Each structure stands twice: as C-alpha cells, then as structure tokens.
Amino acid sequence: MEYKYIIVEKQDNGVGIITLNRPKAYNALCTPLLDEVSSAIKDFDSDNSIGAVVLTGGNKVFAAGADIKEMADLGFADAYNNEFVKKEWFALEKHTKPMIAAVSGFALGGGCEMSMLCDITICDTSAKFGQPEVKIGTMPGAGGTQRLTKAVGKAKAMQMCLTGDMIDANEAKEYKLVAKVVEEGTVVDEAKSMAAKIASMSQPVVRLIKESINNSYESTLQAGLESERKSFYTTLALEDRIEGMNAFVEKRKADFSNK
Ligand code: CAA
C-alpha cells in the first residue's frame, strides 16, 4: 500500500515504526490516515521479523485528535451506520505486537486515545495530553472515558474530560498515563531503543506477557492469577525458555528462536 499520511519503516533489529505524517493539521486523525495506520499495523502483526512497533507523530506533535473538519457534517445516522471510530480503530485495538506510543507535543482527543491503546506510552517534556471534546460540544468516543479512567483514576479523568484542560508531561507521569518522560527531541529514539529491547526477547513469551497484563483489565484477580499461571506453564514448553535459562547458567546472552 502507498501511504500518504504516514511513514512506515522496518528496522533490521525487529522494530517497526509508524510515523503519523500530516504536520499541517497537527496529525489530525482523518479517516484515510486511520485506514493507513490500520493497514500498517496489520502488516507488522503478520510479519514474523517484527517484534515490536513504535507509533509516533515525530518529535513535534503526536496528534490533535479526530479530524474536526471531517466530523463537522457528520450526523448520528452516518456515524452509527458506518461505525465511525469503531472499524478504523479495530486493528489498532487488536494489535498483537507490543506497541509503544512515543509522544511529543499535543496528544489530544483521539490522539490521547490512540496513545492509550498502545501498550506503553512514553513522552518528552513538551507533551500535552487532553480530552478536549467537551469544548467542541461532543465527548470522547475512542476510549477517552474508559482507558483514561483506568489509567489516571476517576477524579483526574473527570477533570480532564469535563473541563477539556490539558495535562503536561510531569502530570502525565504523576498520574501514570506514561511510563517515562525524556528530554525534548529524544522520545522517538528512546521508544526505538525500548522497542529493540522487547524485539530481542522471545516473541511468544512477549505475547503471553502482553495478553496476561491486558487480561488483568477484563478479569477478576483470581481468574487473572489462574490464567497467568497457565501462561507461565506454557512458557515451559518453549525452546526459548530452555535457551534462556541455559544462557543464564552459562553466563552468555540468550539467542532466542521464537519457538
Ligand atoms: N482536526 C482538524 N484540523 C485540526 C485539528 C483537528 N483535530 N487540530 C488542529 N487542526 C488544524 C487547524 O485547523 C489548523 O489548520 P489551518 O492552518 O488549515 O487553519 C492547523 O491544524 C493548526 O491548528 P491551530 O491554528 O489551531 O494551531 P494552534 O497552535 O493555535 O492550536 C491546538 C493547536 C491546541 C492543537 C488546536 O488546533 C486545537 O485545539 N485543536 C483541536 C483539538 C481537539 O479538539 N481535539 C479533539 C478532536 S474530537 C475527537 O478526537 C473525538 C474522538 O474522541 C474520537
């Protein structure tokens, strides 16, 4: 697929990079852009040479949300019948490879929601997160009231969604919306090196861990613990588990085969 709104790169170390590239509109998430992101994620998901993905808007802006100009004429029937913010977001939500959001500048509305559906979000000191939909007479529609509440808690989520106020990088860190804050201009490199570290691990183990952590949102503690234990037993059947433990005992770096 030829891409107009994103740049897709594949590194030799198993890292895939998707860069939103609509700078004149602060990477506003128009439908064609979302279709391209979905397509790139699906390609990376089915590519065995890719172990982790970085999703970024580059070192200036992440994304200023859904495209308001596109939404201006959107009515209920069109949105409902065509599953607006559902079908375009499905691939993003269902990605199986660990995905790191590298955020610089604005991550607003759908941009904040896109960062939250990644597995890890890191940002630089210029980052500003917000759910400003209330200011334009609507509300978050792609996880802003759900994932945000789970990440930052009810009081902060209410404040952000009801006032539309943004929070800066420090507050995002304090409220556990991001895993790490780095210096301005370095977030993409930081995300790439984190992704390279993940891509160097055994892919089936990484996937089991990701599924198990995500499962903690959907299940009770006991059910989650049971499922985690079974996943742990599953790793014992992997060649990579034998390689990993032997490498430790022999004081060498493990060479995983993803089997
Ligand atoms: N959609 C479409 N275009 C956008 C946009 C968006 N979300 N955000 C910015 N742009 C465009 C502007 O229209 C402008 O284009 P023109 O030069 O053609 O006029 C360009 O980007 C630059 O924007 P500004 O002139 O406004 O730049 P600024 O520096 O003064 O302000 C901003 C930057 C604070 C990000 C401001 O643009 C803004 O508030 N944007 C809208 C943020 C927003 O409300 N996001 C939520 C969208 S709704 C949503 O996401 C729903 C959902 O949950 C699915």
Side-chain angles (χ1 to χ4, degrees), residues 22-244:
R22 207 187 161 204
K24 284 187 183 148
Y26 282 96
N27 292 335
L29 306 170
C30 58
T31 302
L33 180 149
L34 286 168
D35 285 341
E36 290 186 8
V37 175
S38 297
S39 162
I41 288 174
K42 278 187 202 149
D43 285 349
F44 282 148
D45 257 1
S46 57
D47 182 341
N48 285 337
S49 71
I50 293 295
V53 176
V54 173
L55 177 62
T56 185
N59 280 318
K60 293 216 164 75
V61 63
F62 187 71
D67 189 317
I68 299 170
K69 292 169 189 167
E70 185 185 273
M71 278 194 306
D73 295 327
L74 186 71
F76 165 77
D78 274 349
Y80 189 59
N81 292 339
N82 297 312
E83 302 193 310
F84 185 69
V85 297
K86 184 172 178 192
K87 65 177 183 339
E88 300 91 355
W89 288 75
F90 193 73
L92 280 71
E93 287 173 348
K94 296 294 162 206
H95 59 93
T96 60
K97 306 275 165 81
M99 197 147 85
I100 301 173
V103 175
S104 245
F106 297 116
L108 304 178
C112 185
E113 290 167 319
M114 187 178 265
S115 76
M116 290 189 293
L117 60 75
C118 291
D119 301 296
I120 304 170
T121 302
I122 64 171
C123 71
D124 73 19
T125 50
S126 73
K128 294 231 180 314
F129 295 86
Q131 297 291 160
E133 292 88 345
V134 69
K135 295 204 264 186
I136 54 166
T138 183
M139 64 175 283
T145 64
Q146 302 302 302
R147 290 194 180 93
L148 185 67
T149 307
K150 288 190 163 64
V152 304
K154 177 182 158 185
K156 199 70 190 167
M158 285 284 188
Q159 184 202 336
M160 288 173 71
C161 292
L162 295 178
T163 65
D165 288 348
M166 301 179 209
I167 58 170
D168 65 13
N170 284 337
E171 246 187 312
K173 178 90 191 309
E174 186 188 339
Y175 280 91
K176 301 184 170 55
L177 191 57
V178 298
K180 193 170 184 174
V181 180
V182 297
E183 267 177 45
E184 208 172 327
T186 64
V187 74
V188 177
D189 285 343
E190 181 69 28
K192 284 182 189 169
S193 83
M194 196 182 276
K197 198 179 269 186
I198 295 168
S200 75
M201 308 297 174
S202 167
Q203 281 191 37
V205 173
V206 163
R207 191 165 167 176
L208 283 166
I209 293 171
K210 172 176 156 148
E211 283 173 6
S212 193
I213 291 176
N214 282 335
N215 192 27
S216 74
Y217 285 106
E218 312 291 343
S219 65
T220 62
L221 178 62
Q222 281 313 313
L225 288 170
E226 190 58 32
S227 160
E228 179 194 70
R229 196 160 34 245
K230 284 182 181 148
S231 293
F232 161 68
Y233 294 154
T234 307
T235 67
L236 302 182
L238 289 168
E239 289 174 21
D240 281 345
R241 192 274 305 181
I242 296 168
E243 165 62 11

Side-chain angles (χ1 to χ4, degrees), residues 8-21:
V8 177
E9 296 159 85
K10 206 171 130 173
Q11 294 185 168
D12 291 342
N13 58 3
V15 175
I17 303 150
I18 301 171
T19 306
L20 309 178
N21 186 32

